[in-house]
């Protein structure tokens, strides 16, 4: 197909068709059988041409430039048309170059849906864009690039302007969408007007952004906002130049303000919660010629309805806190930057000082309010530092790791509370949960509470992720050697209810030998899963970890490892697993990394589990997980049967002995022996009961008489004519010890009837003893001698045949 373009001289329009940059010349332009790669049609010319391909839009672009001179003649004010008509369907750019005096101003007025400024390099959804450049003398300033569908309704410029409209080849647009009007001098670079009727958010940039704003220039943004709406300004990106004179600043003109204009530095928090329309101006300075620097600004204006509770203030009392910061922020901060189009939530510490992020510090009281429809999109992150320099002062102190009430009472969800615990090398840190205790989050036993603690032990060289823990477990305390960071993270709104029951505490303790020591105090019938820190990435080289497991009374613990071997090979050193019960004479189980781990075993006492790492070979990491379960102690059936059988045998023996003794009583008259009353019947070894040593008393002398019936059978045989034999006591001439004799053992005693009582004497248990000496006496003297012994020297000792048991005897 061929095209004909006819240009009138008075229109001062030039058409240029040329190849797109970076495209091979596979398609050409044919003009009167002449092939060319570009075509320029000047004012007053009429040209017919065709393309050598069917898709010229892939290869060619077209520029249509109209020059308008408002200096030497009248300006054609009014609507701007797209001329000429009948152009080929190519990507095209219409350029209007308007020359005007700097004593006058030009106004570009856009029809609805108005314009929206975009950053350099950004493209418009429909690929239709406007670019505005201001021309003062020979200098050109890029006011900005805009898409359709925005809030920018007018742009007022000082001097000339170059306006460009970029259309894609398939755009149905037939009008320029703006008109040009004459205005008096605006006495500044430009004025950009934005109309914001409802809730909205717009982003605007200083001229030449991201390059520098012209030196010592002034420009203004006018915001037309209904009086029942609220506007807030946020500076997202800015830089300052090096000023020799004046100071770079922004000025606000707010109707009704008593301090117009309100002047702010670019580094200040900008005004918020502004009722109705306002102006914002940017003022440059005289820059250093040698090092001018760059002044640039990208900012956002957010317009919202007044919130129902905008006058409701919340008291945040941090006056009694120390070394604490509280940051209220949008969800995802700081890693995620919210989109400009997202509904915005503002936190205000006074009616005009609001921001998306507000940080409060300890030692002060704040009254804050919120400009936000949905407070669930806000979060709180707080941090507290606790340090110890002198162990003598802080060792006896216990710190409660609790979230302050000033935070939990806010209508904002707590995202994270971080405690940073700092101590010198010789001081270690202990965290404890006395009542709730802690459960380690492991795959087999996951935390399902509304919050958890992440514990990290760190030094300048290494970082050890101790693990994630939640309340309601068996770990009573954890001791760590290095500086500690504890992060409380919440899940859902349940934390508001559970926050009243926190019991996590910490203290500073003397140096410990392991990097980390856990004390596990489980409840009966508990099932505890434990794993090495830094899971699943493995313990750092040469790190030692210990667990001290308390076994409840009447319980037995079963220790089981989740795998058969450590699964590493050591490049340097050795890795060890040590298990030892805390009881006298207990054996210690030791396994190296090249040995199988112990089989499941029962532990009847408190025990230790220690893991010490070596330097593993590349890509090998030491990770261990074990389980401890508890059950009631069971008495072995074999033991019960053995005890019953032993008791039965003992009863049979006793019965047999009793029967034999009874028969002997019937067949013979018993012997009667009287123990010397001067002899102490206390257990041997109690020397304090004797006032004299054996060498100085007669405690070793036994006065013995016989019963008349002991040798009675001999008297009967001799018809009383034989004189009984009498044994004579001979003193012992050998060495005598200092300990008293012991009463005779059970095996040397006889069941003897006493003249005054027929009951049996209580048994004696002493085994160390001296020997009795018996003599043949006349009948009837036994009782007399016994009485004499009781009265001898006033001694209170009793006869072994007395009914009452002597003191000091043990049953």
């Amino acid at each position: 197909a061929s095209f004909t373009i006819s240009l009138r001289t008075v229109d001062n329009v030039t058409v240029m068709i040329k190849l797109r940059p970076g495209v091979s010349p596979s398609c050409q332009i044919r003009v009167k059988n002449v092939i060319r790669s570009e075509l320029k049609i000047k004012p007053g010319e009429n040209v017919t041409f065709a393309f050598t391909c069917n898709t010229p839009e892939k290869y060619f672009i077209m520029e249509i430039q109209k020059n308008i001179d408002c200096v030497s003649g009248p300006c054609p004010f009014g609507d701007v048309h797209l001329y000429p008509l009948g152009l080929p369907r190519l990507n095209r750019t219409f350029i209007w170059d308007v020359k005007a005096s700097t004593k006058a101003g030009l106004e570009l007025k856009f029809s609805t849906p108005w314009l929206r400024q975009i950053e350099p390099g950004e493209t418009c959804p429909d690929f239709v864009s406007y670019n505005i450049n201001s021309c003062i003398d020979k200098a050109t300033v890029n006011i900005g690039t805009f898409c359709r569908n925005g809030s920018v309704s007018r742009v007022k410029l000082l001097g000339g302007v170059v306006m460009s409209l970029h259309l894609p080849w398939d755009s149905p647009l037939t009008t320029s969408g703006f008109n040009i009007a004459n205005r008096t001098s605006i006495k500044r670079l430009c004025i950009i007007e934005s109309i914001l009727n409802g809730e909205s958010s717009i982003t605007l940039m200083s001229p030449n952004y991201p390059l520098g704003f012209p030196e010592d220039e002034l420009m203004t943004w006018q915001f037309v906002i209904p009086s029942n709406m609220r506007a807030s300004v946020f500076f997202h990106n800015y830089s300052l130049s090096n000023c020799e004179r004046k100071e770079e600043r922004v000025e606000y003109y707010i109707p009704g303000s008593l301090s117009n204009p309100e002047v702010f530095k670019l580094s200040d928090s900008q005004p918020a919660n502004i009722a109705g329309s306002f102006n914002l101006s940017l003022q440059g300075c005289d820059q250093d010629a040698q090092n001018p620097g760059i002044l640039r600004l990208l900012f956002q204006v957010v317009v919202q309805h007044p919130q129902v509770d905008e006058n409701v203030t919340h008291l945040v009392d941090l006056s009694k806190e120390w070394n604490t910061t509280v940051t209220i922020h949008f969800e995802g901060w700081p890693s995620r930057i919210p989109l400009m189009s997202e509904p915005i939530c503002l936190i205000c510490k006074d009616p005009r000082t609001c921001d998306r992020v507000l940080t409060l510090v300890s030692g002060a009281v704040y009254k804050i309010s919120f400009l936000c429809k949905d407070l669930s999109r806000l979060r709180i992150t707080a941090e507290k530092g606790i340090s110890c320099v002198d162990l003598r002062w802080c060792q006896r102190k216990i710190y409660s790791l609790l979230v302050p009430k000033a935070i939990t009472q806010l209508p904002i969800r707590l995202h994270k509370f971080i405690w940073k615990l700092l101590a010198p090398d010789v001081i270690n840190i202990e965290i404890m949960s006395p009542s709730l205790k802690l459960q380690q989050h492991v795959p087999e036993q996951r935390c399902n509470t509304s919050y958890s603690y992440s514990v990290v032990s760190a030094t300048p060289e290494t970082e050890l992720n101790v693990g994630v823990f939640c309340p309601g477990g068996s770990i009573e305390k954890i001791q760590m050697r290095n500086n500690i960071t504890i992060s409380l993270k919440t899940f859902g709104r349940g934390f508001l209810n559970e926050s009243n029951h926190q019991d996590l505490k910490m203290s500073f303790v003397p140096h410990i030998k392991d990097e980390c020591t856990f004390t596990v105090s489980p409840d009966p019938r508990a099932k505890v899963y434990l794993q090495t820190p830094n899971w699943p990435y493995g313990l750092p080289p040469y790190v030692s970890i210990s667990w001290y497991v308390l076994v409840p009374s009447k319980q037995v613990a079963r220790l089981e490892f989740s795998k058969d071997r450590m699964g590493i090979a050591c490049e340097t050193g050795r890795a060890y697993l040590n298990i030892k019960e805390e009881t006298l004479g207990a054996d210690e189980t030791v396994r190296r990394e090249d040995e199988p781990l112990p089989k499941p075993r029962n532990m009847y006492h408190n025990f230790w589990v220690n893991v010490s790492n070596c330097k593993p070979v590349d890509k090998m990491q030491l990770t261990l997980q074990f389980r401890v379960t508890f059950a009631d102690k069971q008495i072995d059936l074999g033991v019960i049967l053995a005890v019953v059988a032993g008791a039965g045998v003992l009863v049979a023996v006793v019965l047999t002995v009793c029967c034999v003794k009874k028969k002997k009583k019937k067949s013979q008259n018993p012997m009667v022996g009287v123990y010397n009353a001067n002899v102490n019947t206390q257990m041997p070894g109690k020397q304090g009961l004797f006032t004299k040593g054996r060498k100085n008393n007669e405690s070793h002398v036994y006065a013995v008489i016989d019963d008349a019936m002991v040798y009675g059978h001999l008297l009967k045989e001799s018809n009383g004519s034989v004189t009984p034999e009498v044994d004579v006591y001979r003193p012992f001439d050998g060495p005598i010890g200092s300990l008293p004799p012991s009463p005779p053992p059970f095996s040397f005693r006889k069941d003897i009837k006493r003249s005054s009582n027929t009951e049996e004497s209580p048994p004696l248990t002493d085994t160390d003893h001296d020997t009795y000496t018996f003599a043949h006496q006349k009948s009837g003297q036994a009782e007399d001698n016994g009485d004499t012994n009781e009265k001898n020297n006033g001694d209170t000792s009793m006869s072994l045949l007395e009914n009452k048991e002597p003191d000091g005897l043990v049953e």
Side-chain angles (χ1 to χ4, degrees):
S2 61
F3 302 90
T4 299
I5 297 177
S6 180
L7 301 177
R8 297 182 303 177
T9 305
V10 295
D11 293 330
N12 202 12
V13 173
T14 301
V15 176
M16 182 73 178
I17 301 174
K18 56 186 178 180
L19 285 170
R20 297 175 62 178
V23 176
S24 61
S26 301
C27 188
Q28 301 288 324
I29 304 172
R30 182 185 295 111
V31 181
K32 295 180 180 181
N33 296 324
V34 177
I35 302 298
R36 58 180 66 181
S37 60
E38 63 181 30
L39 175 63
K40 185 175 182 180
I41 305 173
K42 298 178 181 180
E45 293 182 349
N46 188 343
V47 178
T48 300
F49 61 94
F51 296 100
T52 61
C53 63
N54 296 326
T55 55
E57 67 276 6
K58 295 181 179 180
Y59 302 96
F60 292 96
I61 58 174
M62 182 166 50
E63 291 181 358
I64 304 99
Q65 181 169 332
K66 180 179 177 63
N67 297 320
I68 302 173
D69 188 357
C70 295
V71 176
S72 57
C75 282
F77 297 124
D79 291 339
V80 176
H81 301 284
L82 299 182
Y83 175 85
L85 302 177
L87 296 174
R89 291 166 61 85
L90 303 175
N91 291 345
R92 53 202 181 276
T93 300
F94 291 89
I95 302 172
W96 294 271
D97 188 353
V98 183
K99 291 180 172 58
S101 171
T102 55
K103 296 180 181 180
L106 293 177
E107 178 183 279
L108 305 177
K109 186 176 182 179
F110 301 94
S111 58
T112 54
W114 300 323
L115 302 182
R116 172 176 63 88
Q117 189 173 7
I118 61 173
E119 296 186 46
E122 189 178 348
T123 57
C124 299
D126 58 359
F127 300 102
V128 176
S129 64
Y130 295 84
N131 185 262
I132 303 173
N133 287 274
S134 174
C135 299
I136 302 176
D137 299 329
K138 294 183 179 180
T140 300
V141 178
N142 180 19
I143 302 301
T145 302
F146 303 82
C147 301
R148 297 194 300 169
N149 298 318
S151 63
V152 176
S153 57
R154 289 189 294 179
V155 176
K156 302 173 186 179
L157 300 146
L158 181 65
V161 61
V162 177
M163 178 72 179
S164 302
L165 171 61
H166 304 276
L167 299 175
W169 67 272
D170 57 351
S171 174
L173 197 64
T174 57
T175 60
S176 66
F178 72 97
N179 62 47
I180 299 177
N182 186 23
R183 289 290 179 266
T184 57
S185 177
I186 58 175
K187 298 180 180 179
R188 60 200 65 204
L189 176 64
C190 65
I191 299 174
I192 299 176
E193 180 188 82
S194 290
I195 299 176
L196 301 163
N197 289 325
E199 286 197 339
S200 55
S201 172
I202 62 169
T203 302
L204 296 166
M205 284 146 275
S206 59
N208 280 345
Y209 188 89
L211 301 178
F213 185 69
E215 181 180 4
D216 197 22
E217 275 291 355
L218 172 66
M219 73 158 293
T220 298
W221 290 273
Q222 292 179 338
F223 299 98
V224 181
I225 301 170
S227 59
N228 65 335
M229 303 296 287
R230 301 291 181 267
S232 302
V233 180
F234 305 96
F235 287 2
H236 292 295
N237 190 15
Y238 68 89
S239 63
L240 303 175
S241 57
N242 298 315
C243 297
E244 282 190 343
R245 289 186 302 121
K246 300 182 184 179
E247 185 179 10
E248 296 165 336
R249 63 191 186 275
V250 289
E251 298 179 356
Y252 290 85
Y253 180 84
I254 301 173
S257 174
L258 300 177
S259 57
N260 280 324
E262 296 185 19
V263 181
F264 291 82
K265 295 180 180 180
L266 275 72
S267 57
D268 291 338
S269 179
Q270 303 302 309
N273 203 23
I274 302 171
S277 302
F278 68 97
N279 293 350
L280 167 61
S281 298
L282 174 64
Q283 175 68 63
C285 67
D286 291 335
Q287 298 174 349
D288 184 350
Q290 301 298 324
N291 184 20
I294 292 176
L295 170 62
R296 60 185 174 191
L297 173 64
L298 182 148
F299 66 99
Q300 182 185 17
V301 177
V302 178
V303 178
Q304 299 171 289
H305 284 290
Q307 304 303 310
V308 176
D309 59 347
E310 68 172 335
N311 295 323
V312 177
T313 58
H314 301 270
L315 187 69
V316 183
D317 186 359
L318 300 178
S319 59
K320 296 181 181 179
E321 299 294 328
W322 50 276
N323 205 14
T324 302
T325 59
V326 178
T327 302
I328 306 173
H329 55 86
F330 54 87
E331 189 175 6
W333 175 88
S335 58
R336 187 184 74 88
I337 299 176
L339 300 175
M340 300 295 183
S341 58
E342 287 185 28
I344 195 167
C345 279
L346 301 179
I347 308 102
C348 307
K349 62 181 178 180
D350 60 59
R352 289 279 301 281
T353 306
C354 305
D355 208 336
R356 280 183 163 180
V357 178
L358 178 64
T359 299
L360 312 175
V361 297
S362 55
V365 179
Y366 301 88
K367 292 182 179 180
I368 65 173
S369 60
F370 302 99
L371 288 176
C372 183
K373 278 189 174 181
D374 185 8
L375 291 179
S376 65
R377 296 171 51 238
L378 292 178
R379 297 288 184 270
I380 297 176
T381 297
E383 183 176 306
K384 182 182 182 70
I386 302 176
S387 60
C388 177
V389 178
D390 188 351
L391 188 60
R392 293 174 297 177
W393 179 84
C394 54
Q395 184 177 0
R396 295 183 298 273
K397 189 171 182 180
I398 297 178
Y399 303 82
S400 294
L401 304 184
L402 305 179
V403 179
K405 293 289 185 182
I407 295 177
T408 57
Q409 69 185 6
L410 289 174
I412 308 299
R413 175 179 157 187
L414 175 66
H415 170 61
K416 188 179 289 186
F417 198 106
I418 302 170
W419 290 274
K420 292 192 172 181
L421 315 178
L422 307 176
D425 293 338
V426 295
I427 302 176
N428 298 143
I429 294 170
E430 176 180 282
I431 62 174
M432 63 208 88
S433 179
S435 57
L436 295 179
K437 302 180 185 177
L438 298 176
Q439 171 192 317
Q440 188 171 14
H441 179 80
V442 298
E444 292 78 9
Q445 200 171 46
R446 297 180 179 274
C447 292
N448 56 3
T449 54
S450 64
Y451 65 99
S452 67
Y453 299 100
S454 174
V455 181
V456 177
S457 171
T459 63
E461 297 81 18
T462 60
E463 182 176 278
L464 181 67
N465 184 5
V466 178
V468 175
F469 304 87
C470 56
S474 299
I475 300 174
E476 188 173 303
K477 62 183 178 181
I478 307 173
Q479 292 181 326
M480 290 156 283
R481 270 185 15 192
N482 305 316
N483 294 334
I484 308 299
T485 298
I486 301 175
S487 302
L488 181 150
K489 189 174 183 181
T490 64
F491 308 96
R493 295 185 174 273
F495 176 73
L496 294 177
N497 298 324
E498 296 185 12
S499 62
N500 296 324
H501 307 292
Q502 301 174 78
D503 76 331
L504 193 68
K505 306 179 188 307
M506 67 81 55
S507 61
F508 295 97
V509 296
H511 188 73
I512 61 174
K513 66 173 185 176
D514 296 323
E515 273 72 14
C516 185
T517 300
F518 299 84
T519 298
V520 184
S521 177
D523 296 328
R525 299 188 181 279
K527 183 181 290 185
V528 184
Y529 290 88
L530 299 166
Q531 63 187 21
T532 51
N534 241 34
W535 188 277
Y537 306 107
L539 282 178
Y542 310 117
V543 165
S544 178
I545 307 294
S546 291
W547 294 264
Y548 179 51
V549 183
L550 301 174
V551 180
S553 60
K554 300 181 181 179
Q555 296 274 306
V556 59
R558 186 160 183 83
L559 174 63
E560 301 177 73
F561 291 90
S562 61
K563 56 185 181 180
D564 297 331
R565 291 179 173 270
M566 295 188 195
I568 63 168
C570 291
E571 179 181 321
T572 306
R574 286 286 195 181
Y576 289 96
L577 169 71
N578 300 66
I579 303 171
K580 186 175 182 180
E581 282 191 275
E582 198 176 59
T583 183
L584 188 63
D587 293 331
E588 183 173 5
T589 301
V590 181
R591 294 289 188 273
R592 290 196 315 247
E593 79 283 352
D594 57 350
E595 297 175 329
L597 293 176
K599 298 294 183 183
R601 59 178 57 197
N602 291 336
M603 314 296 283
Y604 296 91
H605 306 87
N606 301 343
F607 63 94
W608 286 90
V609 176
N610 174 268
V611 177
S612 301
N613 197 14
C614 60
K615 182 182 179 182
V617 298
D618 290 341
K619 298 181 180 180
M620 299 189 77
Q621 302 294 343
L622 175 56
T623 58
L624 276 184
Q625 186 184 79
F626 59 93
R627 180 180 69 177
V628 183
T629 55
F630 296 87
D632 292 334
K633 288 182 179 178
Q634 301 294 329
I635 301 177
D636 191 0
L637 182 60
V639 174
I640 296 176
L641 294 176
V643 170
V644 172
V649 171
L650 183 59
V651 170
V653 171
V654 171
L655 290 176
T656 303
V657 171
C658 290
C659 292
V660 171
K661 288 185 176 181
K662 194 169 185 181
K663 287 181 180 181
K664 287 186 177 181
K665 286 181 181 179
K666 292 180 180 180
S667 61
Q668 65 180 27
N669 291 318
M671 292 187 298
V672 177
V674 179
Y675 189 65
N676 187 349
N678 291 325
V679 178
N680 191 346
T681 57
Q682 297 288 339
M683 291 184 64
K686 298 185 179 180
Q687 301 179 16
L689 299 176
F690 291 87
T691 58
K692 299 180 181 180
R694 291 190 69 194
K695 297 180 180 180
N696 300 323
N697 63 25
E698 297 181 351
S699 61
H700 59 287
V701 179
Y702 286 81
V704 180
I705 64 172
D706 67 329
D707 190 279
M709 301 303 295
V710 173
Y711 300 102
H713 62 285
L714 298 176
L715 297 174
K716 289 178 181 180
E717 292 177 359
S718 60
N719 294 322
S721 60
V722 179
T723 303
E725 297 179 8
V726 178
D727 288 337
V728 180
Y729 175 76
R730 295 178 178 82
F732 179 67
D733 297 330
I736 299 175
S738 61
L739 291 177
S742 299
F746 286 105
S747 56
F748 285 92
R749 298 183 197 160
K750 301 290 183 180
D751 294 325
I752 305 172
K753 289 184 180 180
R754 294 175 48 185
S755 60
S756 61
N757 199 328
T758 58
E759 293 182 6
E760 294 180 1
S761 298
L764 302 175
T765 58
D766 306 279
T767 58
D768 217 4
H769 54 271
D770 285 26
T771 310
Y772 281 97
T773 304
F774 290 93
H776 300 286
Q777 301 275 341
K778 291 183 180 180
S779 177
Q781 293 181 359
E783 294 182 6
D784 295 335
N785 287 341
D787 294 339
T788 302
N789 289 337
E790 290 181 7
K791 299 174 184 178
N792 185 28
N793 296 328
D795 197 346
T796 59
S797 299
M798 296 182 182
S799 166
L800 288 175
L801 301 181
E802 281 290 322
N803 184 35
K804 188 175 181 180
E805 186 176 337
D807 293 336
L809 297 180
V810 180
E811 292 186 353

